Amino acid sequence: MLGERFAGGPDDLLKAIADAGYAGIEITDTMIGRYADRPAEFATALRSAGLTLVSFAFGSKSGFTLKESIGADLETAKRWIDFAAAFPGALVSMGSATVVSDGPRDDRFPIAAEFYNKAGELGRKAGVEIAVHPSSHHNTLLFDRADYDRIFALIDPSLVGWVPDTGHILRGHQDMIDTLTAYRDRIRYVHLKDVDASGTWAMLGKGVCDTQAVIDIASAAARFNGWLVLEEESGTAAADPAAAVKTNRQTMRGYGA
């Protein structure tokens, strides 16, 4: 997941992913580098690598939970929505709401939902699909099933979709199959990751994720766009990222993907 030791740039990412045999890429605001204001150049780079832009993902230091930051966060959302609009079919994925200030945790849900819904309105105007990506990282607001139920009750499903992340769902001690099924109609694309029984990141297929069941549920989802995005946060990947993404691609071929 590109920690501090990563010294490369976006072109290195494109090469590693293309060389591993993937068809598309999700890129983030922290990975886009010199292409941030040059969507046409990035499109050229993608074509040269034989890759499709699946989604552009971004987060905020506000965690999308500070009322006073909604305006600035929406400006950022519009920037990346406009960027993604240059790539037919590309989505914009918004990071997990996160607690970054003191105060009642429950008060953060309506603030996050307000931001997500307003960003969804911006996406609709631009013809770009918008989705939210919950996580299990430190201070996330969207950790367990109760959190998912709470935020989804506040988010307009016609404006904002969902990017389920198998690793984060499992780390939140959720019944992954039940959660995916309950909110299947919100699924736009899927983040596939694996963890062991203790919640430690594992290479895909080496943990407890029932990958085939995930594929089956997503494939039956009305608005699933067909993309399975593999993320890798295991220690194996940290030691050799390029080799890890190649191994995961081989694993996916075992599922016919």
Side-chain angles (χ1 to χ4, degrees):
M1 289 295 293
L2 303 181
E4 294 178 355
R5 290 180 295 172
F6 181 71
D11 293 311
D12 299 300
L13 300 180
L14 297 185
K15 184 178 187 308
I17 291 168
D19 287 350
Y22 293 88
I25 182 174
E26 176 187 88
I27 201 158
T28 74
D29 53 345
T30 59
M31 300 176 188
I32 193 64
R34 65 187 180 88
Y35 294 117
D37 298 310
R38 302 172 181 175
E41 290 185 24
F42 189 55
T44 298
L46 285 172
R47 284 194 296 271
S48 296
L51 296 172
T52 296
L53 181 63
V54 178
S55 178
F56 190 99
F58 76 99
S60 171
K61 291 182 179 180
S62 75
F64 305 129
T65 59
L66 297 179
K67 185 77 171 179
E68 64 271 22
S69 297
I70 289 178
D73 286 339
L74 287 172
E75 289 179 6
T76 300
K78 187 177 187 307
R79 176 190 182 187
W80 298 127
I81 288 168
D82 289 345
F83 184 95
F87 303 87
L91 287 88
V92 168
S93 172
M94 302 175 290
S96 185
T98 304
V99 178
V100 298
S101 61
D102 295 332
R105 188 175 187 270
D106 286 351
D107 292 351
R108 305 299 194 276
F109 287 92
I111 297 172
E114 180 181 350
F115 165 73
Y116 289 142
N117 283 326
K118 287 183 175 178
E121 291 172 356
L122 293 176
R124 174 177 284 177
K125 290 176 183 176
V128 174
E129 287 261 20
I130 305 295
V132 60
H133 174 271
S135 87
S136 60
H137 290 310
H138 181 64
N139 281 347
T140 178
L141 190 69
L142 309 178
F143 180 69
D144 59 21
R145 179 60 182 271
D147 295 336
Y148 281 45
D149 291 344
R150 181 86 179 270
I151 197 68
F152 286 145
L154 298 171
I155 291 176
D156 184 343
S158 72
L159 293 173
V160 183
W162 175 37
V163 183
D165 184 302
T166 55
H168 289 307
I169 291 171
L170 291 167
R171 278 163 54 98
H173 312 296
Q174 301 183 56
D175 182 323
M176 186 174 67
I177 303 306
D178 182 66
T179 300
L180 290 171
T181 301
Y183 293 111
R184 179 173 59 193
D185 290 346
R186 296 177 185 254
I187 296 174
R188 298 296 186 268
Y189 65 102
V190 174
H191 273 191
L192 273 176
K193 290 206 290 285
D194 213 339
V195 296
D196 65 18
S198 70
T200 300
W201 299 115
M203 287 287 290
L204 191 67
K206 300 298 184 182
V208 297
C209 178
D210 187 342
T211 301
Q212 187 61 61
V214 173
I215 293 172
D216 292 344
I217 293 169
S219 297
R223 299 185 68 178
F224 174 58
N225 67 4
W227 284 104
L228 302 168
V229 174
L230 276 62
E231 284 187 325
E232 186 53 66
E233 301 191 49
S234 69
T236 301
D240 191 341
V245 296
K246 285 183 179 180
T247 298
N248 280 346
R249 185 68 191 93
Q250 293 166 359
T251 297
M252 288 306 298
R253 290 191 176 98
Y255 297 102

